[in-house]
Amino acid sequence: MADHFNEEEHKVGMTNILPNDKLTEVLTKVASPSFIDLFEAKLTCRDLCGLAKKDHIFQQASLENIPHSWCTNAEVLFLKRCKESGNPDAIFREGMHGYFTSKNPELELKFLETAYEKGHIEATSIKASRIEDQSTPAKQKGFKHKGLSMDAGGG
């Protein structure tokens, strides 16, 4: 009887080598500095492609290489998924873009407040600037006129 090689029995997936939580941790580290690296990791095997859909990965993904305007369709979808997953950078971008282009800046300020609450550095800086600028009555009047009134205690 000839030896018979069964390909299905010898397939080794990534999840057979490392547990899912460790692979997810690796993908998070890959996505953190570059979304391009995340996309390339997804192309390597089905296991990584499936795990790369987890919210935790999109929460940590870097948006550094994605332009603030003129995004490709893939980049727009990636940004949307990051925002839905609670990525502070994506939420901050949405708030800033919306604040300067929207007819309802109060709504967009909620995105900036959420980014601040998640520890986003630029959002924290903006919040501090707004609190400082509201310290005089003349400045408070100007901010209220622009829809930017916030008390020094936050919220």
Side-chain angles (χ1 to χ4, degrees):
M1 178 188 266
D3 286 332
H4 183 267
F5 180 78
N6 185 342
E7 187 176 324
E8 288 298 315
E9 289 177 8
H10 291 86
K11 279 188 179 178
V12 177
M14 291 297 283
T15 55
N16 293 340
I17 298 170
L18 291 171
N20 283 351
D21 61 329
K22 293 297 180 192
L23 287 172
T24 301
E25 188 177 323
V26 168
L27 284 173
T28 301
K29 298 282 186 200
V30 167
S32 183
S34 169
F35 83 98
I36 295 167
D37 291 342
L38 175 63
F39 285 122
E40 289 176 353
K42 286 172 59 173
L43 295 174
T44 60
C45 71
R46 286 184 189 161
D47 291 340
L48 291 182
C49 186
L51 290 172
K53 296 176 184 174
K54 293 188 173 228
D55 282 346
H56 180 72
I57 293 167
F58 287 93
Q59 288 170 352
Q60 305 298 317
S62 171
L63 308 182
E64 187 175 313
N65 296 323
I66 298 178
H68 288 270
S69 59
W70 303 107
C71 292
T72 65
N73 214 17
E75 290 167 337
V76 169
L77 293 173
F78 181 76
L79 284 169
K80 181 180 177 190
R81 181 70 170 89
C82 286
K83 188 180 92 178
E84 290 168 353
S85 297
N87 181 302
D89 289 333
I91 294 168
F92 178 76
R93 275 194 190 196
E94 178 75 20
M96 289 299 289
H97 175 73
Y99 182 77
F100 290 105
T101 61
S102 172
K103 296 192 188 304
N104 187 359
E106 292 83 17
L107 176 65
E108 306 307 328
L109 285 173
K110 290 180 183 177
F111 286 117
L112 294 175
E113 185 68 25
T114 300
Y116 161 76
E117 290 167 0
K118 290 182 171 283
H120 190 272
I121 293 171
E122 287 89 353
T124 302
S125 177
I126 288 172
K127 174 124 177 161
S129 298
R130 290 179 48 216
I131 290 170
E132 182 180 318
D133 285 343
Q134 291 178 5
S135 61
T136 65
K139 290 179 180 179
Q140 288 173 0
K141 182 179 179 187
F143 274 108
K144 286 180 182 174
H145 172 71
K146 294 179 184 179
L148 293 172
S149 63
M150 265 175 108
D151 63 15

